[in-house]
Amino acid sequence: MEELANTTEKKEKRLKITWKMVRKVANYFVPLITPFLCFIITEFTWRVDSKGVLNSNPFVTISTKLIILNLLLFYAFWGICFSIIGRSSVASYITIAFSFIIGLANYYIMIFRGNPITASDFKALRTAFAVSGTYSYMPTSKVIIIFVCALAVAVVNIFFKFKLKKMQKIYSKILIRVIPAILCICVMFGVTSFISRQDIRKIIPDFNATLFTGNVMAKEDGLILCFASTIQYTNVDKPDGYSPEKAKKILDDNKDDSVWKTSSISKTSPDKNTFNTKAKKANIVVIMNECFSDIGILGDLKTNIDYMPFTKKMMKGYKDTISGYYYSSVIAGSTANTEFEYLTGDTMAFLPPGSIPYQQFIDQDTESMASDLRSQGYATIGTHPYVGYGWNRRKTYPRLGFGYMRFAIDMTGLKKLRIYTDDESYYKYLKNHIFYRRQPFFSFNVTMQNHGGYAGTFDNFNPNVHMTNANNQPTDNYLSLIKKSDEQFEKLIAYFKTRKEPTIVVMFGDHQPNDYVVEPIYTNKGRLVTELKGADRFERYKVPVIMWANYDIPEDNKLITSANYMGGMVTKLAGCKTSAYQNFLEKLRAKVPVICSQGYMGTDGKYRDLETIDDYAKEIGDYRILDYYNLFK
């Protein structure tokens, strides 16, 4: 019996020793594997679409080398937290929380916008929260499962952990805490700098550095690595050959406005003055219509009723109308960038992907269509029936030359459709408070009615347009909103037809809607909207533009352009003096009719990416210089 007891005691002792060793290993193994699990948590959280379908596997789409770079960032982040706090469990909690939150944030951003989160997005957080009301935030079951898994990893870290001993001596703290933290920071900066190299594709061919297809970039590189690569885009480098003197010389060479005599928007006889009205200066009304676009151009779209009959009528050859399409630099969001291009003549093509000039770069008086017209005696007015801090407009508009601003808080009589101001009450306010002026005026107005999101039902909105060759509620809602905009635009044109003062009305959308709105169109073609590339993806940035006047202007319904050119065209059509910058742009438009953040077109109408500028290197090089000069001097 005594021998049996000794044997049992020895077994128990061995088990205790074994368990102690296992626990000791686990105390290090669990915390050290946590950053790897956090990488998985982040990637699988955002790769679930709005229907709960996992649309890609990170271990399939991300190469081994890029997975290692992603892991270096996760481990460095965990290492910084551990070095500062000294407890593995707390470092793990922070890393787990960060991983799930950024994955979840990108999950929603991909649903709403179709592009991943970038470094510049943090400057737009206030505006993002302000317009978040109509979006649905109910996560899918798969996202909830991932959250439970993240919670489980956190719980395991409660039981298996290690910590740094308290140190009284300074050199010990430096050796054990400060130096490792600095090394981890160096790793993060090192990885970020490495992937920002111009020759990164030669070193790692699998690395995707094209934010043009940001959703593909995030899938192929990993979200954290994709985000880190966008940090480089928050600064703007001087273009090659830049100097203020060089910019002034280019402007001096373009003071002569004779380019407009042979412009494509002039009549066939270049010796006739085709732009001046009888009053010489016309009122200018610009309606930048929130998310107004014709998604029918993307493919087979059948509906029970026409969703924009009046707009299509105007675009088929309406009297005293120039119409066609322009290519926006943004999609499903970043409205302010279209404003920026239209008003300044600058282009997002030369600025960091994901940047918002209104928030990042316009911190001083900047030449724009508004400042040019103000110097010619125009009253310059900027209005938007929403919050003034949205996209920093209340601060930016005066810097662009607007002498008068009105936002929702300043307006009366506004009514809602869903949760945003409808076009009808907004136009009524403009008629009663803005358009009555006798002094020549330039009124730049941004609507809000059609803002995303489009999913769900609303007590004050009954959609009446429905797809007949697909079933998708967000698409029906979107098209029904466009129908209402079209109706109000028709009434606005009818209003100006009765006015004696010469007036030119310009209407264009700021961008096309979210991918989930147009998804049925591509599904009918057997394609995935998220995988469009090149010229096919470029068409997602194509938006209608209409320039109509209640006086004689040239007529053309085949305009193809971009927002940066339109301000100069409208200035000339109104009978006003164009700036040297606008004259330069009109010369450039004759050779490069389209240039935006997504690429450009030459006179042959073929799409080219921004890295292929050999055919127009001189002209685009000069444009880069003027673009930088106008923003930064």
Side-chain angles (χ1 to χ4, degrees):
M1 290 292 294
E2 185 178 347
E3 184 178 346
L4 180 61
N6 289 335
T7 303
T8 302
E9 185 179 347
K10 288 180 182 179
K11 286 183 179 180
E12 289 177 352
K13 190 175 182 179
R14 282 198 298 268
L15 284 173
K16 286 182 180 179
I17 294 173
T18 303
W19 169 244
K20 191 174 181 179
M21 291 179 61
V22 169
R23 184 175 179 84
K24 190 173 183 178
V25 171
N27 281 341
Y28 287 94
F29 176 77
V30 170
L32 293 179
I33 200 176
T34 294
F36 174 76
L37 298 176
C38 287
F39 164 73
I40 296 174
I41 289 168
T42 297
E43 291 299 323
F44 279 96
T45 300
W46 77 266
R47 289 170 187 262
V48 177
D49 64 22
S50 60
K51 297 177 182 177
V53 178
L54 186 68
N55 52 40
S56 62
N57 185 335
F59 294 104
V60 174
T61 61
I62 308 175
S63 70
T64 303
K65 290 180 180 178
L66 295 180
I67 288 177
I68 291 172
L69 290 177
N70 276 277
L71 291 176
L72 282 174
L73 292 175
F74 277 94
Y75 275 95
F77 181 82
W78 184 93
I80 293 170
C81 295
F82 177 69
S83 298
I84 295 172
I85 299 168
R87 293 176 178 271
S88 69
S89 56
V90 178
S92 294
Y93 303 153
I94 294 172
T95 308
I96 293 166
F98 167 79
S99 302
F100 181 74
I101 289 171
I102 197 167
L104 187 66
N106 200 62
Y107 163 76
Y108 286 118
I109 287 173
M110 289 295 293
I111 290 174
F112 303 153
R113 190 178 69 186
N115 285 313
I117 191 170
T118 67
S120 297
D121 284 327
F122 285 94
K123 293 190 176 183
L125 281 178
R126 194 178 183 194
T127 298
F129 284 125
V131 298
S132 61
T134 54
Y135 291 108
S136 173
Y137 293 93
M138 181 61 67
T140 65
S141 58
K142 282 190 172 62
V143 172
I144 294 174
I145 291 171
I146 295 168
F147 170 74
V148 172
C149 291
L151 200 61
V153 175
V155 170
V156 172
N157 273 273
I158 295 175
F159 299 101
F160 300 100
K161 57 192 175 183
F162 61 90
K163 64 180 180 178
L164 294 175
K165 294 181 180 179
K166 290 185 178 180
M167 293 161 283
Q168 302 296 328
K169 296 181 179 179
I170 294 178
Y171 72 83
S172 296
K173 291 181 179 180
I174 293 175
L175 184 65
I176 304 300
R177 289 179 180 264
V178 177
I179 291 178
I182 292 174
L183 289 175
C184 288
I185 291 171
C186 289
V187 169
M188 295 185 77
F189 275 102
V191 171
T192 302
S193 299
F194 175 67
I195 61 177
S196 300
R197 292 177 52 149
Q198 295 294 320
D199 60 347
I200 183 64
R201 292 296 299 275
K202 293 181 180 178
I203 302 171
I204 305 180
D206 294 327
F207 185 75
N208 187 331
T210 309
L211 262 179
F212 171 55
T213 50
N215 55 335
V216 178
M217 179 181 176
K219 286 180 181 178
E220 294 181 354
D221 297 343
L223 178 61
I224 295 299
L225 201 64
C226 174
F227 176 85
S229 71
T230 67
I231 295 174
Q232 64 178 307
Y233 299 130
T234 56
N235 295 315
V236 182
D237 296 327
K238 290 181 180 179
D240 293 339
Y242 173 81
S243 71
E245 293 72 26
K246 178 70 177 292
K248 291 175 183 176
K249 175 66 168 57
I250 297 171
L251 291 174
D252 286 340
D253 292 342
N254 286 278
K255 287 183 176 179
D256 183 2
D257 65 356
S258 59
V259 62
W260 297 97
K261 292 182 179 179
T262 55
S263 165
S264 64
I265 66 169
S266 68
K267 289 186 176 178
T268 54
S269 179
D271 59 341
K272 289 182 179 180
N273 189 347
T274 60
F275 298 100
N276 287 355
T277 68
K278 293 179 181 178
K280 292 193 174 179
K281 290 182 180 178
N283 295 326
I284 302 172
V285 175
V286 178
I287 304 294
M288 194 173 81
N289 203 321
E290 173 65 41
C291 210
F292 188 91
S293 70
D294 181 7
I295 61 174
I297 65 173
L298 301 175
D300 185 21
L301 173 64
K302 292 183 172 62
T303 57
N304 59 323
I305 57 175
D306 196 338
Y307 49 90
M308 51 168 56
F310 181 69
T311 300
K312 290 179 180 178
K313 180 180 177 181
M314 292 197 81
M315 296 181 70
K316 287 181 179 178
Y318 208 72
K319 188 177 185 300
D320 296 320
T321 301
I322 294 175
S323 65
Y325 294 91
Y326 87 96
Y327 285 82
S328 176
S329 284
V330 296
I331 194 167
S334 300
T335 293
N337 288 357
T338 301
E339 285 184 55
F340 165 75
E341 290 187 315
Y342 177 87
L343 291 169
T344 65
D346 297 332
T347 176
M348 293 301 301
F350 306 145
L351 294 176
S355 61
I356 308 291
Y358 272 21
Q359 294 177 316
Q360 295 170 259
F361 309 131
I362 301 181
D363 52 9
Q364 60 184 334
D365 289 348
T366 302
E367 182 183 349
S368 76
M369 184 179 177
S371 63
D372 289 341
L373 291 172
R374 191 175 183 180
S375 69
Q376 298 181 53
Y378 272 72
T380 51
I381 310 148
T383 76
H384 185 39
Y386 206 60
V387 292
Y389 61 76
W391 297 128
N392 204 34
R393 287 186 180 96
R394 194 175 286 281
K395 291 183 179 179
T396 300
Y397 276 3
R399 294 168 184 164
L400 293 176
F402 285 104
Y404 183 83
M405 295 179 295
R406 281 293 180 268
F407 299 103
I409 196 171
D410 310 309
M411 300 178 185
T412 57
L414 298 183
K415 296 180 181 179
K416 305 280 184 157
L417 186 64
R418 298 180 303 150
I419 70 167
Y420 297 118
T421 298
D422 67 357
D423 289 356
E424 182 177 9
S425 64
Y426 179 39
Y427 291 167
K428 184 177 180 180
Y429 171 85
L430 294 176
K431 292 172 186 176
N432 292 337
H433 299 275
I434 305 296
F435 298 157
Y436 70 89
R437 295 167 178 267
R438 292 185 179 179
Q439 176 188 7
F441 67 84
F442 165 51
S443 179
F444 185 84
N445 314 284
V446 184
T447 73
M448 199 65 184
Q449 174 186 285
N450 306 329
H451 198 285
Y454 309 102
T457 58
F458 306 88
D459 293 338
N460 63 345
F461 173 57
N462 295 311
N464 62 338
V465 182
H466 305 281
M467 287 188 69
T468 57
N469 58 336
N471 183 20
N472 191 45
Q473 184 200 47
T475 308
D476 292 347
N477 285 347
Y478 173 75
L479 292 172
S480 298
L481 290 168
I482 295 302
K483 180 74 163 62
K484 290 185 177 294
S485 281
D486 182 75
E487 291 168 356
Q488 294 308 315
F489 180 54
E490 182 175 14
K491 292 179 181 179
L492 187 67
I493 294 298
Y495 165 80
F496 280 111
K497 283 181 178 180
T498 67
R499 295 292 299 268
K500 294 181 180 180
E501 302 87 353
T503 304
I504 181 169
V505 179
V506 183
M507 193 278 286
F508 57 92
D510 53 349
H511 51 66
Q512 285 193 23
N514 318 66
D515 282 350
Y516 68 81
V517 173
V518 302
E519 183 179 31
I521 297 174
Y522 287 96
T523 299
N524 287 342
K525 295 194 292 186
R527 305 188 66 182
L528 294 175
V529 64
T530 55
E531 296 182 358
L532 297 174
K533 295 182 180 180
D536 291 334
R537 180 69 178 173
F538 200 45
E539 293 304 293
R540 282 283 282 121
Y541 294 80
K542 193 174 180 180
V543 184
V545 56
I546 293 173
M547 304 174 187
W548 169 89
N550 62 0
Y551 56 90
D552 182 37
I553 65 169
E555 295 163 3
D556 179 18
N557 65 347
K558 292 181 173 58
L559 180 67
I560 296 293
T561 188
S562 44
N564 56 310
Y565 295 125
M566 295 194 296
M569 297 164 65
V570 174
T571 298
K572 179 56 74 172
L573 288 168
C576 300
K577 180 176 175 54
T578 51
S579 68
Y581 195 9
Q582 289 171 333
N583 296 336
F584 168 85
L585 288 172
E586 188 60 18
K587 287 182 181 178
L588 179 64
R589 189 171 75 90
K591 295 182 178 181
V592 185
V594 173
I595 182 169
C596 64
S597 67
Q598 306 306 310
Y600 74 100
M601 285 184 182
T603 52
D604 58 5
K606 293 182 179 179
Y607 161 80
R608 296 171 173 83
D609 62 50
L610 292 172
E611 297 176 358
T612 312
I613 62 169
D614 295 341
D615 295 341
Y616 307 98
K618 171 65 169 60
E619 292 84 354
I620 292 180
D622 286 348
Y623 189 16
R624 285 182 183 273
I625 289 172
L626 292 183
D627 191 290
Y628 187 90
Y629 178 76
N630 194 42
L631 267 184
F632 307 108
K633 296 290 187 289

